[in-house]
Amino acid sequence: MADSTVIKIGICGLGVVGQGVWKHLQRNRKLLESRIGVKLDLTRAAVRSLDKSRSVKIPDNRLTDDVMSLATDPGLQIVCELMGGTDLARDFTLAALKAGKVVVSANKALICDHGREIFKAARTGGGHYFFEASVGGGIPIIKALREGLVANRFKLIYGVLNGTCNYILTRMEAEGLSFEELLKRARKLGYMEADESLDLDGIDTAHKAAVLGFLAHGRWVSMDEMLVEGIRRVTQEDIRQAAMLGYSIKLLAVITRDFETDRMFIGVHPALVPRSHVLANLTGAYNGICLSGDIVGTTFYIGRGAGQDATSSAVISDIADAALVIKGSHKLLLPDEAASVHEESSRPCGLLPLEEVHSLYYLRLTVKDEPGVLARVASVMAGNDVSIASVLQHELPLSKGASLILTTHQSNEKDVRNAVTELGELDSTIEEPFLMRIADFEE
Ligand code: HSE
């Protein structure tokens, strides 16, 4: 290696990901150095508790419990924020960027809540912010979006971005078990976030969708500007009925942009995906993302979306990019550009209101099994201008009424929601109706 530059790295947070980064970077350091032509030194790590036992052994003189000291340490050029959370992580990130450092992060919640502020701090402080591990675990989706596909405009991005939900849904389909049984197993396997709502209610997926939406369209879409629904209400019956109709159920993130009206939309919701589609065959805790660019066409990315090794792979790739940026042989594309083009532009991309969203829908109703019920349901749908495509009915055991599964032709989201509200208020309705979208992507 001709270049003797040594880049000093600090790691803040030695949880599952932090330890993985330390371990893999030590193990593959020589190979990585020969690939990027820069020497890397894992100089210091910061943890909240020095007493906790860890699988990686770090010399005492390299370990501190003064987290903020890494942010301003003049000896470090790259700092990795792998603590998680949005309070101390935010203070740390802003202080490090202000000090002109390159920050590498896996923290999608932080980016989603404070992305605008963080990118601004990076621009004004002369630092950089890398976050490949925040979306899609080991899949280099951010690199694909901002480098490999930089020539494109993205009309449609969609995918499965939460491995835990994908595990639960695919095992429900494969084993015929209930949501509750699979939830217990996911807990035992250690798949669940400490706050389970992040996984189950679509929040983690929404954070990741916000990051992709920003990279593709230069606009931060907040959670309350998205449609966000989780998987808690998906039952074994939905899985079976979807299979009969030729679909698998997935928790999807969908990011669309209409370039004619210049408006974008982000939705996160369980959806029926045709079984012939590559995402329907995505098993276990995998993630899969489809990017459709106006020049390249449709591209797919599949890989492990979480876990120590996959996430470490993404963090280390950011460290390598950061080292090249510091060395001056690499330019960071898109986040800066997107931020400057769109945030300060006089005409930022707008948002498509929910009332203008159209889809095919799946609706499960539990109703009294008596004369006239189907006619009343059909009348509510017609009264809201929603056209029924198919109806499946079967009796529920123990005289619990009947289950009605309706699918619709292309319909307006607002009309369908109004219909669902009215259906829920009918005397013949036993349980709150459950609505899902049916994926019908043109490729
Ligand atoms: N809970 C997340 C998942 C972890 O299951 O995909 C990675 O963000």
Side-chain angles (χ1 to χ4, degrees), residues 108 134 161-165 191-193 199 204 208 287 305-306:
K108 60 252 171 192
S134 65
L161 301 179
N162 184 276
T164 303
C165 290
Y191 285 0
M192 305 300 305
E193 296 279 346
D199 290 315
D204 171 76
K208 294 165 180 169
N287 283 192

Side-chain angles (χ1 to χ4, degrees), residues 56-336:
V56 292
K57 294 288 159 248
I58 298 172
D60 285 349
N61 62 353
R62 294 192 175 223
L63 211 51
T64 176
D65 59 1
D66 181 359
V67 168
M68 290 304 285
S69 72
L70 259 68
T72 49
D73 182 342
L76 299 175
Q77 289 130 302
I78 300 174
V79 288
C80 303
E81 184 278 291
L82 303 174
M83 293 179 282
T86 53
D87 296 329
L88 182 57
R90 171 178 169 267
D91 294 345
F92 176 87
T93 301
L94 293 175
L97 291 170
K98 198 171 162 206
K101 299 196 188 309
V102 183
V103 179
V104 171
S105 172
N107 192 337
K108 60 252 171 192
L110 179 71
I111 304 168
C112 193
D113 290 354
H114 301 289
R116 192 170 278 131
E117 182 182 25
I118 288 171
F119 285 105
K120 192 167 178 204
R123 283 200 304 278
T124 53
H128 287 289
Y129 190 67
F130 288 84
F131 47 99
E132 181 63 68
S134 65
V135 184
I139 305 171
I141 192 65
I142 291 177
K143 211 169 178 61
L145 196 52
R146 75 178 184 203
E147 293 187 22
L149 303 178
V150 71
N152 291 266
R153 301 205 295 173
F154 301 98
K155 193 174 161 202
L156 175 64
I157 299 172
Y158 62 97
V160 170
L161 301 179
N162 184 276
T164 303
C165 290
N166 198 54
Y167 172 79
I168 291 174
L169 293 172
T170 51
R171 295 324 296 168
M172 281 174 79
E173 187 172 336
E175 298 182 49
L177 298 175
S178 69
F179 171 78
E180 286 73 22
E181 285 167 302
L182 265 313
L183 176 56
K184 276 189 208 143
R185 200 195 290 169
R187 282 182 188 136
K188 270 200 193 135
L189 290 167
Y191 285 0
M192 305 300 305
E193 296 279 346
D195 174 1
E196 294 185 352
S197 170
L198 291 173
D199 290 315
L200 301 177
D201 296 321
I203 301 166
D204 171 76
T205 302
H207 286 153
K208 294 165 180 169
V211 174
L212 293 180
F214 168 71
L215 288 169
H217 305 302
R219 170 170 185 149
W220 284 109
V221 180
S222 63
M223 294 282 284
D224 55 10
E225 293 171 320
M226 300 180 199
L227 166 71
V228 183
E229 293 173 3
I231 65 163
R232 288 185 202 260
R233 291 205 62 205
V234 177
T235 62
Q236 185 50 230
E237 187 192 354
D238 295 318
I239 299 275
R240 278 197 308 272
Q241 299 292 349
M244 278 177 59
L245 292 163
Y247 297 95
S248 291
I249 299 176
K250 298 287 175 192
L251 180 65
L252 284 191
V254 182
I255 304 158
T256 57
R257 172 125 177 223
D258 177 344
F259 286 98
E260 276 173 27
T261 58
D262 204 23
R263 292 182 302 177
M264 66 181 286
F265 178 76
I266 300 186
V268 171
H269 48 70
L272 281 72
V273 177
R275 282 198 142 165
S276 56
H277 194 287
V278 65
L279 287 186
N281 298 294
L282 195 68
T283 56
Y286 272 67
N287 283 192
I289 303 154
C290 170
L291 297 180
S292 289
D294 59 344
I295 305 174
V296 71
T298 300
T299 59
F300 285 98
Y301 308 83
I302 287 175
R304 283 188 289 155
Q308 185 180 66
D309 295 341
T311 311
S312 300
S313 167
V315 170
I316 295 170
S317 100
D318 273 352
I319 290 174
D321 270 357
L324 291 171
V325 164
I326 292 165
K327 193 184 160 200
S329 54
H330 193 65
K331 189 179 175 317
L332 183 63
L333 292 172
L334 224 128
D336 283 350

